Amino acid sequence: MSNIPETGRTSRVTVRLIAIQILVLSLLLTLGGRLWYLQVRNGDEYEKEAAGNHVQQVVDPAVRGSILDSRGVPIADNETRLVVSVSRTELMKMDDEGKSVLDRLAKVLGTSSKELAQKVRLCDAETPQPCWNGSPYQPIPVSDEATSQQVLQIRERGEDFPGVTAEPTAVRRYPAPNDANTSQVLGYLSPVTDEEIEEAKDSDSPFLPADEIGRSGLERAYDSKLRGSAGVTRYEVDNLGRVMGRAESDASTPGANLVTSIDSRVQAVAEKELERAMKDARTEFDKNTGRNYEADAGSVIVMENDTGRVVSMVSNPEYDPNSWVGGISGKEYKSLTSKKSNYPLLNRGIQALAAPGSIFKVIPTTAAVNAGYPFDGNYDCPGSYSIGGQTFTNMESESYGTIDLGRALEVSCDTVFYDLAYKQWRKDGGHTPKKNAKDWFYKTAHQFGLGDKTGIDLPNEVEGRVPDRQWKKDYYEANKDVWCQQGDDPQSYADKIAKENCVSGMKMRAGDSVNYSIGQGDTLVTPIQMATAYAALGNGGTLYDPTLGKAIVSADGKHVKEIKPKSHGKLPAKKATLKDIDGALQGVATRGTAATNFGSGWPQEKIPMRAKTGTAEVAGKQTTSWFATYTDEYTVVMTISQGGTGSGASGPAVRRIYDALYGVGQKALLPKPEKALPKISKDGSIQARRDKEEDEPKKDADAPPPGSETDQSGEQPQPPQQQTGQTEEQPAREPETGGTGGDQR
């Protein structure tokens, strides 16, 4: 037993408990004081510091999908380049805001510090290109053409280049296989803007600050498929930009690949032939203006009749889409958007407007038959035609006597169509139209797809114009004040037109209808509209939406979505009428206005050719050359602004395109449309067809047609000796009755 009294033991316990209580109380007081110090006395300071700690995102761009031609050959893909990038955030921390770093970097890269400074400045409403549209926290690429030696200098002298990185990066490439530029079809990329990020934030495909998006062509039309999903690495950083830790991140998903209907071999031929035709036209003298033809722009389209798929689309002048890779310079951008270069960014296949001239005549021919005029009826073709004191003439005032509509198409007799249009105008009531006027000639043009978009899978297609009665009224309302206020100089052509329009500009006049019947007056079309219409004549009457996209293939190759042909209507003609027109257009190629191009050396019995020439007058400019053709498989339409006649300027080039397609006197490139998709490997890569495979024996269904070089029938036709010859182009107009006409060949 313990000798310590019970009272002493109790007092000790009490003391200990009191000591513990005092200690706990002291700790609580200390903690409370510290909390008061942090939250009350220095609360504002720490609140500011805490606000500076946040998460920053560094974007890992997704690998953009490739664009391939119909054989699997890349026409837009990616390549690894040595890319030099600059962190704007690091530059802004420096006393001179990075000026000395950019000066040293410019010397290494062989450029100017001014150009580098422009590339790393942020874009806004007042800052022109070049500038950076992306996030200021994202490294800004300033060169994608660095050499190994330049990269080595930057890395070895890292202390001289703070905030500068140099590393291999995947960048866009436009390889131009077979020298096919395909620029307007492909389009180009540039960084996304803040406005676009805001607009797309709630969409299925939102943008990230470092995204590059398609600005035109297929790059824009299929951007959401090609772009994929960028990866995001999230860093916790303090208010000084120092990384405090790494947050949850997302991996990137590569974009899908787009297989197109473009054949890069045919595209190369079409580009070369259009350029050649334009150069040849510039050597020809224009007796109407007293100078050589300017041939300042043009377009050619090759289309499959039975699907509407575009095999080739060319617009001249062209540009190099690689100019946009890594950011376009101010000098290059100015060149591409200047009047002096004639606006090469414009895709004239879908955006240039011009009067169609006589290739339009298949439409009034159809309209006349639908209005009750027999195709094989008797129609006078005098050398001239007069209405209200105005005389309209055929080309060189030629007269062909009494002919039917088929022969009128063959020789492009304007006066036949003048008379038909005038008679129908009178039947509809003339200046005071009947309540339910038939307006066959205008209605039929709409049914052929004119005055509306074709639905092609490219952005910024324009509608064109059918100058019917409603358009006349709308146009008058929009312009009457200007017309009525214009001067009254009796010697001025413009004032005559203005005075007349002020009084009766809302009325459909006889001259308007007469001029319209031969593709003149206020009619405006695009090459893609005329190609779509002629392809419909070639396939029996179906108007297809023109398409360039053929299939979308996921990066891993497991998902393939084919883009099926889609129709938007039928031609307003019976089978008998289509057959009659088809026969007449064959006559144009063999004995009519296109006989100089296809009348000799072309295997007409084996590859039936149909053609129509056109030469359209343009106010203040030289004539526009048109040439529209089709075979059983393809439609080819070419136009050259200020190029002269259809048969003289465009005809020889179109003939050479067909020679290449079918192998007339040479190896055939594509005697039958490419139906199958390229081979897709298990790893998702798409295998391009090799020339060796094309040379291997094929099944009968895929054999080249008779008349091609590979035809085994023994006969090998030779091509004949060839002849040499936007912006909106306002067609010619004349006072009172519309125009002087002339055979638009």
Side-chain angles (χ1 to χ4, degrees):
M1 295 184 61
S2 173
N3 295 324
I4 299 175
E6 185 67 28
T7 55
R9 185 177 298 170
T10 302
S11 63
R12 281 187 175 184
V13 172
T14 302
V15 170
R16 289 175 181 173
L17 288 174
I18 292 173
I20 291 172
Q21 290 175 353
I22 293 173
L23 178 62
V24 170
L25 181 61
S26 299
L27 291 173
L28 289 173
L29 290 173
T30 301
L31 180 61
R34 183 60 178 169
L35 289 174
W36 175 85
Y37 177 82
L38 293 174
Q39 295 186 9
V40 178
R41 174 155 184 188
N42 287 357
D44 292 341
E45 177 183 348
Y46 285 106
E47 184 179 1
K48 292 180 180 179
E49 291 187 12
N53 296 331
H54 55 283
V55 175
Q56 289 294 347
Q57 297 185 151
V58 175
V59 178
D60 177 20
V63 176
R64 193 172 180 86
S66 297
I67 302 176
L68 310 127
D69 80 352
S70 60
R71 301 164 63 240
V73 177
I75 51 180
D77 60 6
N78 308 291
E79 67 176 350
T80 301
R81 295 187 187 177
L82 295 175
V83 176
V84 178
S85 301
V86 174
S87 170
R88 178 179 170 81
T89 303
E90 292 296 324
L91 294 184
M92 293 300 101
K93 294 178 184 177
M94 302 175 189
D95 293 337
D96 62 352
E97 296 185 340
K99 183 180 183 304
S100 58
V101 173
L102 294 180
D103 288 342
R104 290 191 291 270
L105 183 60
K107 292 179 181 178
V108 173
L109 297 178
T111 185
S112 67
S113 55
K114 178 182 178 181
E115 183 175 343
L116 293 183
Q118 289 177 334
K119 288 185 176 181
V120 299
R121 64 185 177 179
L122 301 180
C123 291
D124 57 32
E126 299 178 354
T127 304
Q129 289 286 348
C131 57
W132 176 247
N133 271 325
S135 168
Y137 292 100
Q138 188 75 17
I140 301 172
V142 295
S143 174
D144 62 358
E145 297 179 343
T147 64
S148 300
Q149 184 177 3
Q150 290 170 336
V151 170
L152 189 60
Q153 289 185 60
I154 294 170
R155 288 190 169 185
E156 286 183 342
R157 297 163 50 197
E159 69 279 2
D160 291 335
F161 301 103
V164 179
T165 58
E167 56 189 13
T169 306
V171 298
R172 203 59 166 168
R173 178 181 75 127
Y174 301 95
N178 302 296
D179 292 328
N181 201 24
T182 328
S183 54
Q184 289 88 355
V185 168
L186 290 172
Y188 57 90
L189 306 176
S190 70
V192 66
T193 65
D194 292 338
E195 292 77 10
E196 289 166 333
I197 294 173
E198 182 65 24
E199 290 174 2
K201 66 180 182 180
D202 297 325
S203 68
D204 295 334
S205 182
F207 295 128
L208 292 174
D211 277 342
E212 282 198 319
I213 61 173
R215 292 300 179 188
S216 67
L218 293 172
E219 292 280 28
R220 176 176 170 181
Y222 291 92
D223 181 75
S224 61
K225 305 296 183 183
L226 294 166
R227 183 162 27 95
S229 300
V232 179
T233 302
R234 298 177 178 87
Y235 294 100
E236 296 177 357
V237 298
D238 62 16
N239 64 326
L240 297 178
R242 294 174 298 194
V243 176
M244 308 295 292
R246 183 167 176 170
E248 183 180 355
S249 301
D250 301 320
S252 63
T253 302
N257 298 310
L258 174 68
V259 178
T260 71
S261 55
I262 292 289
D263 187 301
S264 59
R265 303 166 305 168
V266 178
Q267 177 76 13
V269 170
E271 288 180 4
K272 180 184 72 175
E273 293 302 340
L274 177 59
E275 178 69 21
R276 177 178 174 181
M278 292 170 64
K279 287 182 178 179
D280 288 345
R282 294 181 194 125
T283 67
E284 296 296 319
F285 183 74
D286 178 14
K287 62 182 180 181
N288 293 321
T289 61
R291 65 180 190 275
N292 285 6
Y293 288 105
E294 293 186 18
D296 56 344
S299 176
V300 59
I301 293 170
V302 181
M303 181 185 291
E304 296 177 7
N305 293 344
D306 293 337
T307 63
R309 288 181 172 136
V310 177
V311 178
S312 172
M313 176 180 285
V314 182
S315 179
N316 190 299
E318 298 177 306
Y319 68 93
D320 182 2
N322 288 297
S323 299
W324 296 85
V325 177
I328 191 169
S329 69
K331 182 178 180 180
E332 286 179 302
Y333 183 80
K334 184 177 180 180
S335 173
L336 293 178
T337 56
S338 71
K339 182 178 180 180
K340 184 178 180 181
S341 63
N342 203 10
Y343 311 107
L345 296 181
L346 185 73
N347 184 344
R348 286 170 165 81
I350 64 172
Q351 293 175 300
L353 293 168
S358 284
I359 68 167
F360 180 78
K361 287 177 181 173
V362 294
I363 294 173
T365 298
T366 304
V369 173
N370 290 345
Y373 299 93
F375 189 89
D376 57 356
N378 295 321
Y379 304 93
D380 290 332
C381 178
S384 62
Y385 190 85
S386 297
I387 305 175
Q390 183 72 34
T391 299
F392 300 80
T393 63
N394 278 332
M395 185 70 164
E396 298 180 355
S397 299
E398 288 186 83
S399 174
Y400 292 91
T402 301
I403 59 177
D404 60 16
L405 290 180
R407 184 60 177 162
L409 285 174
E410 289 180 9
V411 299
S412 206
C413 179
D414 289 345
T415 53
V416 166
F417 294 96
Y418 293 152
D419 187 55
L420 288 169
Y422 179 63
K423 289 178 178 177
Q424 194 59 40
W425 175 79
R426 293 187 63 183
K427 284 185 178 180
D428 288 332
H431 288 297
T432 54
K434 297 177 180 178
K435 184 176 181 180
N436 296 312
K438 296 294 185 179
D439 278 337
W440 285 107
F441 282 56
Y442 298 96
K443 176 182 177 181
T444 303
H446 284 293
Q447 292 171 324
F448 265 72
L450 303 189
D452 200 0
K453 296 179 181 180
T454 64
I456 190 171
D457 52 346
L458 287 176
N460 301 321
E461 180 188 7
V462 298
E463 297 179 349
R465 181 166 71 205
V466 176
D468 53 20
R469 295 182 192 276
Q470 186 60 50
W471 177 84
K472 289 282 289 185
K473 292 178 182 178
D474 295 341
Y475 193 65
Y476 175 76
E477 290 298 324
N479 294 279
K480 63 180 180 180
D481 292 340
V482 175
W483 288 333
C484 295
Q485 292 174 7
Q486 195 161 329
D488 194 21
D489 182 358
Q491 303 301 318
S492 168
Y493 172 80
D495 283 0
K496 288 180 182 179
I497 292 292
K499 183 177 180 180
E500 179 186 345
N501 285 337
C502 176
V503 176
S504 59
M506 78 297 291
K507 296 181 179 180
M508 180 69 72
R509 296 166 294 197
D512 293 327
S513 291
V514 165
N515 223 17
Y516 166 81
S517 71
I518 61 168
Q520 289 286 169
D522 292 303
T523 308
L524 292 174
V525 301
T526 62
I528 194 64
Q529 288 175 328
M530 299 312 297
T532 302
Y534 271 80
L537 290 172
N539 67 35
T542 301
L543 289 162
Y544 284 104
D545 294 0
T547 54
L548 292 109
K550 197 171 182 181
I552 297 170
V553 183
S554 63
D556 58 11
K558 294 180 180 179
H559 304 283
V560 179
K561 180 182 178 181
E562 292 194 45
I563 301 171
K564 301 293 185 181
K566 182 181 178 182
S567 167
H568 61 264
K570 290 277 189 180
L571 294 183
K574 296 179 180 179
K575 289 183 178 180
T577 303
L578 292 175
K579 184 178 180 180
D580 288 336
I581 292 175
D582 185 88
L585 296 180
Q586 290 192 50
V588 174
T590 57
R591 58 182 179 271
T593 57
T596 54
N597 308 115
F598 290 101
S600 175
W602 181 259
Q604 184 70 17
E605 293 184 359
K606 299 174 181 178
I607 311 175
M609 175 63 62
R610 298 83 162 179
K612 189 72 193 80
T613 59
T615 308
E617 297 175 1
V618 182
K621 291 188 176 183
Q622 296 168 310
T623 54
T624 301
S625 168
W626 284 93
F627 202 75
T629 60
Y630 66 89
T631 60
D632 291 345
E633 293 82 19
Y634 299 108
T635 289
V636 179
V637 172
M638 180 178 285
T639 182
I640 301 176
S641 168
Q642 303 196 93
T645 65
S647 60
S650 299
V654 171
R655 167 60 192 269
R656 290 190 291 266
I657 292 173
Y658 277 114
D659 288 346
L661 279 169
Y662 288 103
V664 178
Q666 57 189 288
K667 180 180 176 181
L669 291 181
L670 199 63
K672 294 288 184 181
E674 187 71 67
K675 295 182 179 180
L677 294 176
K679 182 180 179 181
I680 303 172
S681 301
K682 292 182 179 180
D683 63 358
S685 61
I686 299 176
Q687 304 299 316
R689 291 192 180 88
R690 299 174 298 177
D691 290 339
K692 180 180 178 181
E693 291 176 323
E694 296 172 357
D695 293 338
E696 291 175 355
K698 301 179 181 180
K699 297 179 181 180
D700 291 343
D702 296 325
S708 68
E709 185 185 54
T710 52
D711 173 32
Q712 303 302 313
S713 64
E715 180 179 351
Q716 182 170 309
Q718 298 296 321
Q721 183 69 32
Q722 301 293 348
Q723 300 178 356
T724 58
Q726 138 145 349
T727 56
E728 177 176 323
E729 296 184 3
Q730 184 64 37
R733 300 187 65 206
E734 298 291 338
E736 182 58 32
T737 52
T740 57
D743 185 19
Q744 311 302 322
R745 296 186 183 178

